[in-house]
Amino acid sequence: MRRYLHHNGLGLFFGLLFLLAVVGQVVSGRALRNQELVAAGLAPLDVGRYLTSSSFAVDLLENWQSEYLQFLLYLMATVWLVQRGSPESKELDQVGRESDEDQEVGAAAHPWSPGPARRGPGPLRWAYENSLGLVMGTVFLGTWLAQSVAGVVAYNEEQLQDLLPPLSWREYLVSPDFWSRTLQNWQSEFLAVGSMAVLSVYLRQRGSPESKPVGAAHDDTAAEG
């Protein structure tokens, strides 16, 4: 068990934080929603009804989709773009998809390489070569679509409470409410990723692979501590 925890500590740590944050969101989000309902003269929600409500779903999904968009864009951007001195960047002369030898695929693969990497060019190897981006993109699109569906339901509930006409799903997709929810999450993700790429040129965190070695020069690129 100790060895398992040691080998999987990073994933387990953030998985636990994720669960704790979701529980906290349920508690605080339900309290806030019930305040709004009581103020409108409506019955409050119990935990089960809140967990299946559009209000909870849209708040959850709008954060998920922005996170996966962040990673998708970072994966794609770092193929072609570099940042001199950043450990988050490739070497300045390695822009692009790189050679089969650099990527250890096809004839350059090792006996221990994953099966698809040992194959010749074809759909299976292409899918594996791009599998991380494909999964990130699929999750992003799925959660963004789910956010729009939950969002229009939550928005229309508020509209009906105020005796205002509801919107169709297509109308909601171009509404200020949808894009305000979306863009306030996107801008924070873009700021965080850009800050990490640039600040890591000049700042250090000893022992972290996300930082350069403490004594590395500021213009050392792709170095890890």
Side-chain angles (χ1 to χ4, degrees):
M1 178 59 71
R2 180 176 298 179
R3 182 176 180 180
Y4 174 83
L5 293 175
H6 176 68
H7 287 183
N8 299 277
L10 196 57
L12 292 171
F13 174 70
F14 281 100
L16 178 60
L17 288 182
F18 166 73
L19 292 176
L20 292 174
V22 170
V23 171
Q25 180 185 345
V26 171
V27 174
S28 58
R30 174 174 169 259
L32 177 61
R33 181 57 178 155
N34 283 342
Q35 287 178 4
E36 297 170 346
L37 292 174
V38 170
L42 301 173
L45 300 176
D46 59 28
V47 174
R49 289 179 60 198
Y50 178 70
L51 286 175
T52 57
S53 70
S54 58
S55 177
F56 172 70
V58 70
D59 288 342
L60 190 72
L61 293 169
E62 72 182 26
N63 287 288
W64 289 10
Q65 58 88 5
S66 65
E67 295 294 340
Y68 281 97
L69 175 64
Q70 171 197 157
F71 286 118
L72 173 64
L73 292 180
Y74 189 72
L75 283 171
M76 297 299 103
T78 51
V79 174
W80 302 101
L81 303 178
V82 294
Q83 180 66 49
R84 183 182 180 90
S86 177
E88 301 296 318
S89 168
K90 296 194 294 186
E91 294 285 359
L92 303 180
D93 59 353
Q94 292 181 350
V95 172
R97 291 175 56 81
E98 304 178 6
S99 67
D100 286 358
E101 288 72 23
D102 290 331
Q103 288 293 310
E104 302 176 1
V105 296
H110 305 288
W112 56 83
S113 298
R118 298 196 301 269
R119 299 175 67 94
L124 181 60
R125 197 178 91 183
W126 179 89
Y128 188 71
E129 288 174 344
N130 298 279
S131 56
L132 188 56
L134 290 171
V135 169
M136 292 291 181
T138 299
V139 175
F140 161 66
L141 292 175
T143 51
W144 199 25
L145 175 61
Q147 177 204 334
S148 71
V149 173
V152 70
V153 174
Y155 181 80
N156 284 337
E157 287 178 352
E158 295 179 359
Q159 289 288 94
L160 293 173
Q161 288 176 20
D162 297 333
L163 302 180
L164 297 173
L167 297 181
S168 68
W169 178 70
R170 289 186 178 182
E171 291 173 329
Y172 182 71
L173 286 181
V174 295
S175 71
D177 184 82
F178 176 71
W179 284 104
S180 176
R181 285 180 174 273
T182 296
L183 293 173
Q184 70 179 338
N185 284 283
W186 286 8
Q187 53 87 14
S188 63
E189 305 301 340
F190 300 156
L191 176 64
V193 173
S195 297
M196 183 65 179
V198 175
L199 291 177
S200 59
V201 175
Y202 305 102
L203 306 179
R204 309 286 189 268
Q205 182 60 56
R206 182 169 182 155
S208 174
E210 299 302 313
S211 167
K212 294 187 290 188
V214 176
H218 289 327
D219 60 356
D220 282 354
T221 306
E224 294 183 351

